[in-house]
Amino acid sequence: MSLSRELVFLILQFLEEEKFKESVHRLEQESGFFFNMKHFEEKVQAGEWDEVEKYLSGFTKVDDNRYSMKLFFEIRKQKYLEALDRQDKAKAVEILVNDLKVFSTFNDDLYKEITQLLTLNNFRENEQLSKYGDTKTTRSIMLVELKKLIEANPLFRDKLLLPTLKSARLRTLINQSLNWQHQLCKNPRSNPDIKTLFIDHTCTPSNGSLAPPPVNLPVAAVAKPAAYTSLGIHGPFQPAVAAPNAGALAGWMANAASSSSVQAAVVTASSIPLPPNQAVSLLKHPRTPPHAPGMIDYHSPDHEMMKRLQHAQSVDEVTYPTPHPPASWSLEDLPRTVCFTLHQGSAVSSMDFHPSRQTLLLVGSVNGEITLWEVGSREKLVTKPFKVWDMAARSLQFQTAGFKDAISVSRVAWSQDGSYVGVAFTKHLVHMYAYAAPNELRLHIEIEAHAGVVNDLAFAHPNNQLCVVTCGDDKIIKVWDLTGRKLYNFEGHEAPVYSVCPHFKEDVQFIFSTALDGKIKAWLYDNVGPRVDYDAPGHWRTTMLYSADGRRLFSCGTSKEGDSYLVEWNENEGVIKRTYTGFRRKSNGVVQFDTTQNRFLAAGEDHQIKFWDMDNPNVLTSLDADGGLPSLPRLRFNKEGNLLAVSTVDNGIKILANAGGIRSLRPVDGPSFEAMRIPIESAAMKGGVESMTRGIEKPRLLEDIDKTKPWQLAEIADPVQCRLVALPDTDNSSKVSKLLYTNSGIGILALGSNGVQKLWKWARNEHNPTGRATTNAVPQHWQPNNGLLMTNDVSNVNLEESVPCIALSKNDSYIMSGVGGKVMTTFMEPPPAAMSLAFHPLDNNVIAIGMEDSTINIYNVRVVVVNRILRGHQKRISGLAFSTNLSILVSTGADGQICVWSIDSWEKKNAVTIQLPAGKADVGDTRVQFHVDQIRMLVVHESLLAVYDAAKMDCIRQWCPQDSLSAPITCATYSFNSQLVFATFYDGNVGVFDADSLKLRCRIAPSAYLSQAQLNGGQSVYSLVVAAHPQDPNQFAVGLTDGSVKVIEPSESEGKWGSVPPPMDVIQNGRMASSSANSSHNPDQIQR
């Protein structure tokens, strides 16, 4: 729970104890932290409908979700019926027009029926309202329904119960604060006279006499007014017995110097690993930014932001001793070998490596051009010069500016999944491209984002929605969705915003921003304003970055005077944890930096690259990369940290690598690696003497690197070769028919063939700090508190022939599933019989339902209406998938057809038949899933895997079972980043394929993940379904025929499933390599 939230609870308790009833409920509503059900009940029973809605508005709005909508509808309907019952037709019309009209857009027929009640002398003449009783009774009945809706509404989660507190807790904390203030007095008196809380307490010296020793003030130092009586144990805050904690420093530590620029800070003894003799010196210099907002904590889902992040001046810097573990790294881990130079042609302004394709480098230049390089082959794949895509759509200010030739790239960035590219320019614009491997950048959208320079751009995932965050000289931060719609507008900086750093902690998304006045602010995705306001070292241009694991926060910047600062922040205490040294005194520009491997920092300065170990403030090593670097080179690591790109003075990019990086750079087709080596060696020899005299470490030569080993298919046959965990379950009576991860990645949901749904959740603890699915911890089998199973109605259903289906809403709030055609969903009437389900990507209330009769129903779960019925298949629908990029719905059926439907008009746009291998009958279900680029799609049939271009409906790749994977396919899915395909087979094997080429990278045998009991049992056990983790590209789960579920990850030593196969079959050790390129012996088949 955050500190600001806890403070509100303390104030609520104080107000309750002092009998400030109206203030209590006003604070409950305005804070939104506690919903007082008793107060709500009283207002409903009294019929104070305006007060009821006003109180509710602090927690939810009408259109937040279906629970909220039904909640407001029931209240307004009751208000309307009571007006009719009083024969107050004028009031009823007012309620109908002002309050109930909003629901007509969701169910116009219901609104018309309600309107017709005005024509009746007594609305009880309506058959559905014939049993309407008196007002008091109906309010009580309605109240039961309202309470159920509130308890089920996720927006009220954790807001219906108050924490257990000892009485007068706020007074106790104030007294503890006064005690500490008194103990810190230079001349403490034995009987201090405390007259006010508005300023810090100090004792006046007593005419030069020796000060008595510090004393503890009595708890009653702040007397409670006798006019107020305590609520006692009957109040909502029940007293709790707490063990005394003598070491706890609770309360707000105030700075005694009123003229100081720093104010109160929250200090907890357990969070400061200092010996007692250092604790007092720390308390004398509490650090909190001026005018800082409320205290908030990363570990709360409500304000998970900062524990008062604040800046500390370097002379007073608070450092926290960190135990140094034994070194498990060496300088060999750093990419220090200069391999070659790429010639960009214009000065480099920004670079970013692809998140998973480690040799794919995106570069932005000062001439406005962006370039995509394949570093391994040194090939320039794509070049996009700057141009305005749609001048007519631009503002008049932009059209008349006349600065077309002066526009430069200020930032380029890949989205986290590598499917999009964002480009920010120095004038107004942001360009978005959709990336399609291997070398296609498609124009996606142009946004006129800011007035003036767009200084920075980054991708983020608020509410599981991919967005782009921008900032500019107009002092504003903006958040856009991929359609160009502005979602958030953050104002609060008083100077141009220089950089943004979106991040998340424990599922709470936030943004750091820095401005040219040196201010750092932090924002949640709401309209409350900045949560943190403090100063960056140098008070000018600063960039912030997290380490790759998201646990450590760093900033680097340069002051106007040219002094550079690289620091690590202690997020919990809000102070600078470590300042790194090694910069020269003055820089004519801004130092750029990057992090890698959760271990190293690198910055470009003084024509060099300087490296630091994150746990050591001193420079680890530096190098000049054989010369030719500018004074302040730009640099960027790839995600694995084995390559480093650095800009040069002659408009080029030097590529540096470690041993692993050099192996990744060796081209499969192209010049021999020996030919590459000669100029690099000579360059290193030429610059060696000068480098030594400057104290810069000489780059390693390529002779020191092992030669590349021939590619081999990874074979996993033993449990020790991978990591796995079996999900606990006491009932494995039915096979797992459907399996999926929650979108947050913290749980797995399985649907059995008997209609029973099971949910497993991973707990957040020291072994699993993220709380996400992992093989390092066993999850808990979650069950409702009432002990009832989550089950579908399977009465009169032949379970052996039924086709189960399941879909989960994007926000993980509810699911829909069906077995044998009957669909289960909460609070809603059953929709028509279903074989497959898919939620609309832009509206969780709309779902596409594939029917057994070959039709597709577009169904609105909120108003329980079938909006459209699509017809085009000949047999039952077995697969559905939406593409937001193409605005289409793709359906597959047991007839082997793939149909494409417009989601704007729901008209059929195209249809093709899958190309089955020769001799294969057109039987079995076909399923479909979109690639992250939302253009390519994976088509799965028991006899093939295929990749299609959905825009053209062309088959790009196809693979058929063969060799060691010759059994029919049971299921297949993309990894979350669409770089891999996980496929399961009837013989128990699991194949991991390269998603682009559909070549086999790794085969996992049944013996690797099945227990001996499963292997030796009387019945064959194999994987029926497979699901991919939504954040980890190498983790997947399989559901087995015996009802068990297992999560599988590669071994820690490997970290991934095999390696990318070569483009052609090669001979290894006198035999043909086991490549999946040959998918069929039929010459008429598509090449695969």
Side-chain angles (χ1 to χ4, degrees), residues 1 19 115 125 144 216-217 310 355 466 506 586 627 673 711 732 785 800-801 804 854 902 932 997 1022 1031 1037-1038 1065:
M1 185 183 297
K19 303 293 187 183
T115 304
E125 295 173 15
V144 174
N216 283 331
L217 300 176
Q310 60 269 74
L466 181 60
E506 306 202 5
K586 299 296 179 183
F673 197 71
W711 179 86
N732 291 337
N785 293 330
E800 293 299 322
E801 298 179 0
S854 77
S902 166
V932 291
S997 63
Y1022 56 90
Q1031 283 103 30
V1038 291
D1065 290 335

Side-chain angles (χ1 to χ4, degrees), residues 12-19 21 38 162-169 171 224 228-240:
L12 284 174
Q13 183 198 36
F14 173 79
L15 294 174
E16 280 278 8
E17 291 173 343
E18 306 305 336
K19 303 293 187 183
K21 293 289 187 180
K38 183 178 179 182
L162 284 166
T164 303
L165 299 175
K166 294 182 69 174
S167 60
R169 178 60 182 161
R171 294 180 181 279
K224 183 176 179 178
Y228 303 130
T229 59
S230 173
L231 291 176
I233 61 172
H234 302 292
F237 293 86
Q238 302 303 322

Side-chain angles (χ1 to χ4, degrees), residues 18-316:
E18 306 305 336
K19 303 293 187 183
F20 295 129
K21 293 289 187 180
E22 293 301 318
S23 299
V24 168
H25 302 316
R26 181 71 178 270
L27 181 56
E28 290 167 350
Q29 175 209 330
E30 291 187 349
S31 69
F33 290 156
F34 172 63
F35 185 83
N36 193 322
M37 189 69 82
K38 183 178 179 182
H39 171 67
F40 180 73
E41 291 176 8
E42 290 173 353
K43 294 299 180 183
V44 170
Q45 292 286 17
E48 299 179 25
W49 303 118
D50 291 341
E51 287 299 316
V52 168
E53 286 211 26
K54 182 179 179 181
Y55 188 71
L56 269 178
S57 67
F59 303 88
T60 185
K61 301 294 186 290
V62 174
D63 58 353
D64 279 346
N65 56 42
R66 59 199 182 101
Y67 302 102
S68 299
M69 176 166 287
K70 187 167 177 59
L71 191 64
F72 280 96
F73 175 74
E74 291 297 332
I75 291 169
R76 295 176 183 182
K77 182 184 72 173
Q78 181 65 21
K79 180 180 174 183
Y80 175 68
L81 293 178
E82 288 185 12
L84 290 176
D85 208 21
R86 298 192 306 268
Q87 297 300 315
D88 189 348
K89 294 292 181 72
K91 183 65 175 178
V93 170
E94 178 185 333
I95 296 169
L96 186 69
V97 174
N98 296 335
D99 297 339
L100 291 170
K101 179 68 174 177
V102 66
F103 302 105
S104 65
T105 57
F106 303 99
N107 194 330
D108 190 53
D109 292 338
L110 178 61
Y111 181 74
K112 291 177 180 177
E113 187 176 352
I114 292 174
T115 304
Q116 290 174 358
L117 297 179
L118 288 167
T119 63
L120 304 178
N121 292 327
N122 186 340
F123 63 80
R124 293 175 180 82
E125 295 173 15
N126 183 290
E127 182 179 354
Q128 296 182 38
L129 298 172
S130 60
K131 296 183 180 180
Y132 185 93
D134 60 89
T135 299
K136 183 177 180 180
T137 302
T138 53
R139 285 178 183 172
S140 298
I141 295 172
M142 180 192 66
L143 189 56
V144 174
E145 177 69 12
L146 296 182
K147 290 172 70 174
K148 290 180 180 179
L149 290 170
I150 290 170
E151 290 168 356
N153 195 326
L155 295 177
F156 289 82
R157 192 171 298 146
D158 301 326
K159 297 182 180 181
L160 301 178
L161 294 175
L162 284 166
T164 303
L165 299 175
K166 294 182 69 174
S167 60
R169 178 60 182 161
L170 185 57
R171 294 180 181 279
T172 301
L173 290 174
I174 292 173
N175 280 300
Q176 290 174 347
S177 173
L178 293 172
N179 276 322
W180 276 106
Q181 292 178 37
H182 183 64
Q183 291 185 34
L184 295 176
C185 287
K186 295 182 179 178
N187 301 286
R189 291 183 174 182
S190 57
N191 294 305
D193 183 18
I194 298 176
K195 297 180 179 180
T196 180
L197 298 176
F198 293 161
I199 61 174
D200 294 341
H201 162 71
T202 57
C203 292
T204 306
S206 54
N207 298 325
S209 59
L210 292 176
V215 297
N216 283 331
L217 300 176
V219 174
V222 183
K224 183 176 179 178
Y228 303 130
T229 59
S230 173
L231 291 176
I233 61 172
H234 302 292
F237 293 86
Q238 302 303 322
V241 179
N245 182 0
L249 308 181
W252 291 264
M253 304 307 300
N255 190 340
S258 59
S259 61
S260 172
S261 64
V262 293
Q263 298 177 352
V266 175
V267 184
T268 306
S270 60
S271 64
I272 306 179
L274 292 178
N277 63 332
Q278 295 182 26
V280 174
S281 64
L282 171 62
L283 296 177
K284 290 180 180 178
H285 301 280
R287 289 169 176 75
T288 302
H291 318 295
M295 295 150 287
I296 34 191
D297 182 355
Y298 263 131
H299 302 292
S300 163
D302 299 283
H303 285 298
E304 201 85 14
M305 280 298 303
M306 299 281 101
K307 278 188 180 176
R308 294 279 262 194
L309 280 180
Q310 60 269 74
H311 170 60
Q313 309 226 350
S314 58
V315 294
D316 291 332

Side-chain angles (χ1 to χ4, degrees), residues 350-625:
S350 180
M351 296 181 289
D352 196 21
F353 277 97
H354 191 278
S356 56
R357 295 180 176 274
Q358 302 297 320
T359 59
L360 200 61
L361 178 64
L362 180 68
V363 180
S365 304
V366 296
N367 65 354
E369 182 178 273
I370 66 167
T371 304
L372 191 61
W373 287 92
E374 172 46 63
V375 176
S377 60
R378 289 177 285 176
E379 180 183 359
K380 187 181 288 189
L381 301 178
V382 180
T383 297
K384 297 281 187 182
F386 172 78
K387 68 175 182 178
V388 180
W389 298 350
D390 188 358
M391 181 62 79
R394 304 283 65 86
S395 67
L396 182 61
Q397 177 188 4
F398 183 92
Q399 295 184 39
T400 58
F403 42 63
K404 177 179 179 181
D405 295 334
I407 290 182
S408 302
V409 174
S410 55
R411 184 78 158 89
V412 294
W414 289 97
S415 63
Q416 290 87 337
D417 58 11
S419 59
Y420 289 95
V421 163
V423 186
F425 295 96
T426 53
K427 296 293 182 181
H428 298 260
L429 296 181
V430 165
H431 283 175
M432 297 283 292
Y433 294 87
Y435 170 66
N439 59 359
E440 187 173 358
L441 287 179
R442 297 192 180 107
L443 305 182
H444 182 68
I445 195 165
E446 180 178 67
I447 304 171
E448 189 170 346
H450 295 271
V453 179
V454 184
N455 286 313
D456 200 8
L457 169 150
F459 287 92
H461 278 86
N463 304 315
N464 290 319
Q465 179 182 10
L466 181 60
C467 300
V468 63
V469 183
T470 63
C471 65
D473 276 1
D474 56 7
K475 308 175 186 178
I476 301 174
I477 302 153
K478 300 179 182 181
V479 182
W480 314 83
D481 68 11
L482 295 189
T483 67
R485 181 169 61 99
K486 185 169 65 177
L487 303 178
Y488 299 97
N489 198 78
F490 299 135
E491 300 186 39
H493 277 291
E494 297 178 359
V497 185
Y498 179 68
S499 71
V500 288
C501 177
H503 194 59
F504 66 93
K505 285 273 183 159
E506 306 202 5
D507 298 328
V508 174
Q509 303 274 350
F510 56 90
I511 304 169
F512 277 117
S513 61
T514 69
L516 293 188
D517 58 1
K519 291 294 183 183
I520 298 177
K521 297 182 185 290
W523 317 76
L524 289 175
Y525 291 89
D526 55 26
N527 298 311
V528 176
R531 298 308 212 280
V532 167
D533 186 347
Y534 59 102
D535 293 325
H539 302 274
W540 198 41
R541 298 177 186 265
T542 296
T543 303
M544 306 187 83
L545 287 176
Y546 274 89
S547 57
D549 59 9
R551 296 182 179 181
R552 302 176 71 171
L553 176 63
F554 303 89
S555 70
C556 182
T558 305
S559 70
K560 292 181 180 179
E561 293 74 28
D563 296 318
S564 297
Y565 301 87
L566 177 60
V567 302
E568 179 179 5
W569 291 90
N570 184 307
E571 292 178 287
N572 289 337
E573 298 303 328
V575 295
I576 293 174
K577 178 177 180 179
R578 183 178 289 107
T579 295
Y580 300 90
T581 61
F583 292 107
R584 68 173 186 162
R585 289 296 299 167
K586 299 296 179 183
S587 296
N588 296 321
V590 182
V591 171
Q592 306 292 319
F593 87 116
D594 201 3
T595 75
T596 188
Q597 302 178 31
N598 300 315
R599 168 58 63 181
F600 301 110
L601 300 166
E605 193 236 13
D606 194 20
H607 307 280
Q608 304 171 21
I609 307 163
K610 298 180 178 180
F611 298 93
W612 289 263
D613 171 10
M614 289 181 177
D615 294 328
N616 191 322
N618 300 316
V619 173
L620 178 64
T621 187
S622 58
L623 55 89
D624 67 355

